[in-house]
Amino acid sequence: MFSRFCSPHSTSVHDGYKDKVQVTGRTQDCQVPCIENSHCSQSCSLGLEGNIGFVCKNKKWRKSTDTCRTLNVLTIFEDSSTVINTFSDTPSKTGKDATITDVLMQRCPKDLSCILKNIQKSPPIPGNIDVIVELLHNISRVLSEDVDEVKVQSYSVIANHVLDSRSISNWAFVPERSSSSILLQSMVSFVRNFFLREHSLDISEEFIHIIGINISKDNSQESLSFSMKVNDTENEVTGMVLLPQKDLQQLPSPSQVISIAFPTLGAILEASFFKNVTVNGLILSVILPKELQRISLIFEKITKSRGGRTQCVGWHPTENKWDEEACEMALDSVDQTLCSCQSSKRFTSFSILMSPHVPESPILLYIMYIGLGISIVSLILCLIIEAIVWHQVTKTEISHLRHICIVNIAATLLMADIGFIVASFFSNLVQHHDGCVAVTFFIHFFYLSVFFWMFVMALLILYGIVIVFHTVPKSIVMTSAFSVGYGCPLIIAVITVAATEPGRGYVRPMTCWLNWDNTKALLAFIVPALAIVVANLITVGMVIVKTRRPSIGSPIAQEMATIVRITKNVAILTPLLGLTWGFGIAIVIEKNSLVFHIIFSLLNAFQGFFILVFGTFLDQKIRDALKVRMSSVKWMSRLSEQVIFTSGEDSKRGKRFHLAFFAFGNMKETSNLHGFGGKGSSN
């Protein structure tokens, strides 16, 4: 009749259609099995106005909206007996029926006291939240002047009621999804119109805290501090606004700074808009003079964990989302995060988010450190074996270049893994920033070298398939291989550190690895690595096609032989060409899957072990060379025993020993020739 919340008996569904709604030409009843994506509504329980909306999902009615309320024009004011007359006599400024705000401005505009008591007694149900948010929004528009401390106090009491932690779950059913954002902006807009006199402002409610101070270039406070309870516990979380002292010196005249802290609004915004974003600190709204364009904020974390990724963000009121462009992370630790944020008319409210993209599990840490330990031992063993059999397995140009690639892949991966473990010992990155930068550069360079040497091996395989290899001079191939294997990674690593470190954006605030949040320096590793993985995958495909040659025998035997050849080639080439890193694409698609993270960690933490098994132990030439070496060791052992046994005998026996040693040498050389072939044999 009068306005949206006037009639105490109005409902949004006609009496003849209670519990029903027309959907695609059919009447759907909330009491019967539902049709997918259809809607229905029910009246609220006795004594409440409004209705409850439902939507059909997976053949079940699920609550979607709730406008049930106790607050209306007759119940929101303390003296309801005179409300109807006042309401009827009060014209609206818009020319329409008068609103609750119009009556409020008529009855108690100085302190808003005539509605405080009944609002505080009302239950924080979705319909009441909707009424109060619209009321606060209207008050902030109407009272644009003469806002004093009494009005701010009353306004805070009203806002505090709907910010109660008990109301968080109810915000999800408020019909106007942007109500939480409207509340935030209304609060900032209203307080912005308040002007401090001589004294500072300090208004503290359970779920909202406002601090205002006067500042000047001669005398100003360094920070504003908040400490508020969260999650219905006795634990308090702190927040701090750090005033830029250098910028304060540029103020032309005394000004004021006002900040508002919200401990529960983050969870309310999450309930209204988001599913996979968690606000992990206080929301701090800051009202600054126009001369101060950047502000530093310290947020204590609600959930203190090393597993998740922390983001500094600002609230975008028109798009109703958290925006990373508003802030940069300056420092991050397990307990706190320091953010540098841009304060403007668009961005006035800031907080930190905890990204759930990396599942937190001790299993991942165990896999990483155990796998790296095994990988390091395996790589050392691989290099030792290569050194032992080098002369036996590198007699042709192709085999020589192949083992050059394997040795450099193993060596660079070993250095990168060692650097990764060293980086884990850096705990205080503020004191050891330069050391962290050096270790990160070291890791970045050697991990890139691993991939580029894998790329060199893939090029050699392709070259061997497409072109007759010995037509290219060996010196040119070797020069090109080392230029690609070490030159390209060095150029990328140097450019990355030179472009990002001057602004302290090379490493992450909490770990010694390439930064992502501020400078996207991590792209200098991801882009070349994934590009090489794709190129190497193409190479493996060509090898598979090449190995599908016909075999002598029955059709079944031919198929089995082909399958065995392909399986062996793929098993050998997968770790040597880094194809296991391609599984990281699955991590990007399914960011929250712990199973994918475990598989990815297993494949890459144990990469050194896989190189030892598939690149060394499965190589027939290496196994044959090792057998010869082992037999040589056994002969040397027997001969040394013979020396000890015959040490006291005559010179005639000594001569026989020298003859036996000479015979062994001839036998060993003959064995080498028969085992590995001449100069033209392939590896």
Side-chain angles (χ1 to χ4, degrees):
M1 175 181 172
F2 297 114
S3 69
R4 180 181 171 192
F5 304 115
C6 295
S7 174
H9 304 292
S10 63
T11 60
S12 53
V13 181
H14 191 272
D15 291 342
Y17 290 90
K18 285 184 179 179
D19 301 347
K20 295 182 180 180
V21 68
Q22 196 77 14
V23 181
T24 61
R26 290 173 293 181
T27 300
Q28 183 69 62
D29 195 321
C30 289
Q31 304 302 324
V32 298
C34 63
I35 301 172
E36 192 70 15
N37 294 324
S38 60
H39 296 261
C40 75
S41 62
Q42 291 181 346
S43 298
C44 301
S45 58
L46 187 64
L48 297 177
E49 303 173 22
N51 59 79
I52 304 173
F54 296 87
V55 63
C56 183
K57 293 292 183 183
N58 299 323
K59 298 182 179 180
K60 290 184 179 180
W61 287 115
R62 301 183 185 277
K63 184 177 176 181
S64 59
T65 60
D66 186 342
T67 60
C68 298
R69 59 187 180 271
T70 61
L71 293 176
N72 57 47
V73 69
L74 296 178
T75 59
I76 197 170
F77 293 96
E78 290 185 32
D79 188 6
S80 59
S81 60
T82 60
V83 168
I84 295 179
N85 292 332
T86 305
F87 195 87
S88 301
D89 296 337
T90 303
S92 171
K93 293 182 179 180
T94 62
K96 300 179 180 180
D97 294 327
T99 64
I100 296 176
T101 309
D102 295 327
V103 179
L104 178 64
M105 294 300 101
Q106 183 72 21
R107 298 195 62 186
C108 54
K110 292 184 178 181
D111 56 7
L112 314 178
S113 60
C114 55
I115 59 173
L116 296 183
K117 186 176 180 180
N118 287 352
I119 285 179
Q120 288 180 294
K121 291 193 300 183
S122 66
I125 55 179
N128 285 345
I129 292 173
D130 202 16
V131 173
I132 293 172
V133 170
E134 182 168 337
L135 177 61
L136 290 171
H137 177 61
N138 290 335
I139 291 173
S140 68
R141 289 190 297 106
V142 173
L143 289 180
S144 58
E145 298 177 354
D146 298 327
V147 177
D148 56 21
E149 187 169 347
V150 175
K151 291 188 181 73
V152 174
Q153 178 72 61
S154 299
Y155 197 93
S156 301
V157 170
I158 299 171
N160 184 75
H161 183 68
V162 293
L163 291 170
D164 194 310
S165 57
R166 295 172 296 177
S167 71
I168 293 175
S169 59
N170 292 329
W171 279 86
F173 304 109
V174 176
E176 179 57 62
R177 292 299 186 191
S178 60
S179 292
S180 52
S181 180
I182 292 172
L183 173 62
L184 175 59
Q185 292 309 114
S186 299
M187 192 77 209
V188 173
S189 177
F190 185 77
V191 175
R192 189 190 296 276
N193 294 324
F194 172 72
F195 292 98
L196 289 168
R197 304 299 184 227
E198 296 180 358
H199 303 289
S200 60
L201 176 69
D202 193 337
I203 297 174
S204 180
E205 300 290 337
E206 187 174 1
F207 303 104
I208 186 170
H209 190 183
I210 305 173
I211 298 178
I213 60 171
N214 290 304
I215 58 172
S216 66
K217 60 182 179 181
D218 298 324
N219 184 19
S220 61
Q221 196 172 314
E222 293 185 357
S223 62
L224 305 178
S225 299
F226 300 91
S227 181
M228 307 186 75
K229 296 178 182 178
V230 294
N231 299 333
D232 292 329
T233 66
E234 294 301 319
N235 298 327
E236 292 191 348
V237 172
T238 61
M240 186 177 296
V241 179
L242 302 178
L243 301 178
Q245 296 300 307
K246 292 183 179 179
D247 293 342
L248 290 177
Q249 302 301 318
Q250 308 300 322
L251 290 175
S253 60
S255 304
Q256 65 181 30
V257 172
I258 301 177
S259 183
I260 314 169
F262 304 93
T264 57
L265 187 54
I268 291 171
L269 289 168
E270 182 182 345
S272 302
F273 295 104
F274 311 108
K275 297 295 183 183
N276 298 319
V277 174
T278 301
V279 177
N280 201 28
L282 299 177
I283 290 182
L284 297 179
S285 297
V286 185
I287 302 168
L288 298 171
K290 62 181 181 180
E291 289 81 10
L292 304 182
Q293 296 182 350
R294 294 201 69 85
I295 193 76
S296 295
L297 305 161
I298 298 178
F299 297 95
E300 181 183 356
K301 296 180 180 179
I302 299 173
T303 302
K304 299 172 175 60
S305 169
R306 290 183 178 272
R309 184 171 72 94
T310 300
Q311 299 169 275
C312 296
V313 290
W315 181 254
H316 199 301
T318 56
E319 297 183 6
N320 291 327
K321 69 174 186 179
W322 291 109
D323 197 329
E324 291 185 62
E325 293 183 1
C327 297
E328 294 181 355
M329 184 186 296
L331 185 64
D332 189 30
S333 67
V334 177
D335 302 318
Q336 293 182 329
T337 299
L338 173 62
C339 301
S340 176
C341 299
Q342 175 186 355
S343 180
S344 62
K345 289 185 178 180
R346 176 186 296 178
F347 297 113
T348 56
S349 302
F350 310 96
S351 190
I352 54 172
L353 303 183
M354 181 178 67
S355 172
H357 295 341
V358 181
E360 184 179 357
S361 174
I363 297 175
L364 295 176
L365 290 176
Y366 294 145
I367 291 174
M368 181 179 67
Y369 286 111
I370 293 174
L372 283 176
I374 295 175
S375 182
I376 288 173
V377 173
S378 300
L379 291 170
I380 293 173
L381 185 58
C382 176
L383 293 173
I384 291 174
I385 292 174
E386 287 286 343
I388 292 174
V389 302
W390 184 260
H391 294 293
Q392 284 77 22
V393 298
T394 59
K395 293 184 177 181
T396 66
E397 288 186 1
I398 290 180
S399 62
H400 182 263
L401 292 172
R402 176 177 177 272
H403 285 278
I404 284 286
C405 290
I406 292 176
V407 167
N408 280 281
I409 290 171
T412 52
L413 183 58
L414 175 63
M415 298 302 291
D417 287 348
I418 292 174
F420 190 87
I421 292 178
V422 171
S424 66
F425 289 99
F426 282 84
S427 57
N428 191 335
L429 301 189
V430 177
Q431 295 181 359
H432 304 99
H433 177 79
D434 293 339
C436 183
V437 168
V439 171
T440 301
F441 178 84
F442 179 90
I443 299 172
H444 186 203
F445 169 71
F446 279 109
Y447 269 130
L448 282 178
S449 296
V450 172
F451 281 97
F452 275 95
W453 272 108
M454 290 174 175
F455 181 58
V456 170
M457 175 170 275
L459 291 177
L460 292 176
I461 293 172
L462 283 176
Y463 206 48
I465 292 175
V466 178
I467 303 174
V468 180
F469 190 77
H470 63 265
T471 58
V472 179
K474 182 178 178 181
S475 59
I476 295 178
V477 176
M478 291 291 291
T479 303
S480 302
F482 277 87
S483 298
V484 173
Y486 291 113
C488 292
L490 183 62
I491 292 172
I492 295 173
V494 169
I495 291 176
T496 304
V497 70
T500 58
E501 179 52 25
R504 293 232 164 186
Y506 181 61
V507 297
R508 301 186 179 192
M510 196 171 172
T511 56
C512 291
W513 184 228
L514 298 173
N515 189 295
W516 173 257
D517 292 322
N518 299 334
T519 61
K520 301 294 185 291
L522 184 59
L523 290 175
F525 173 73
I526 294 176
V527 172
L530 287 182
I532 289 172
V533 168
V534 171
N536 291 358
L537 188 61
I538 295 173
T539 301
V540 173
M542 295 185 67
V543 171
I544 292 173
V545 173
K546 190 72 174 179
T547 54
R548 292 185 62 186
R549 62 181 184 270
S551 300
I552 300 174
S554 63
I556 297 177
Q558 291 179 13
E559 290 295 328
M560 291 301 297
T562 301
I563 292 173
V564 170
R565 281 197 305 271
I566 292 174
T567 303
K568 183 178 179 181
N569 287 331
V570 171
I572 291 174
L573 293 178
T574 295
L576 289 176
L577 299 184
L579 301 187
T580 55
W581 287 83
F583 203 83
I585 298 174
I587 301 294
V588 175
I589 297 173
E590 291 291 337
K591 298 176 182 178
N592 298 324
S593 175
L594 180 60
V595 175
F596 283 166
H597 279 272
I598 290 175
I599 295 173
F600 183 74
S601 298
L602 283 170
L603 290 175
N604 294 290
F606 287 87
Q607 188 173 11
F609 174 74
F610 295 145
I611 289 174
L612 175 66
V613 173
F614 296 106
T616 302
F617 288 157
L618 288 184
D619 191 318
Q620 184 65 44
K621 298 292 184 180
I622 292 179
R623 293 203 304 271
D624 292 342
L626 282 175
K627 289 178 183 178
V628 173
R629 281 292 186 181
M630 292 300 294
S631 64
S632 301
V633 171
K634 289 180 181 179
W635 271 94
M636 291 298 294
S637 177
R638 290 178 183 177
L639 290 173
S640 63
E641 291 177 1
Q642 184 69 18
V643 170
I644 295 173
F645 181 75
T646 59
S647 60
E649 299 194 6
D650 57 353
S651 59
K652 184 178 180 180
R653 291 180 181 270
K655 291 178 180 179
R656 290 210 304 266
F657 163 72
H658 289 296
L659 290 173
F661 185 79
F662 179 75
F664 165 73
N666 289 337
M667 182 187 71
K668 177 183 173 184
E669 187 171 342
T670 304
S671 174
N672 288 342
L673 290 173
H674 288 291
F676 301 102
K679 196 172 183 179
S681 63
S682 63
N683 192 29

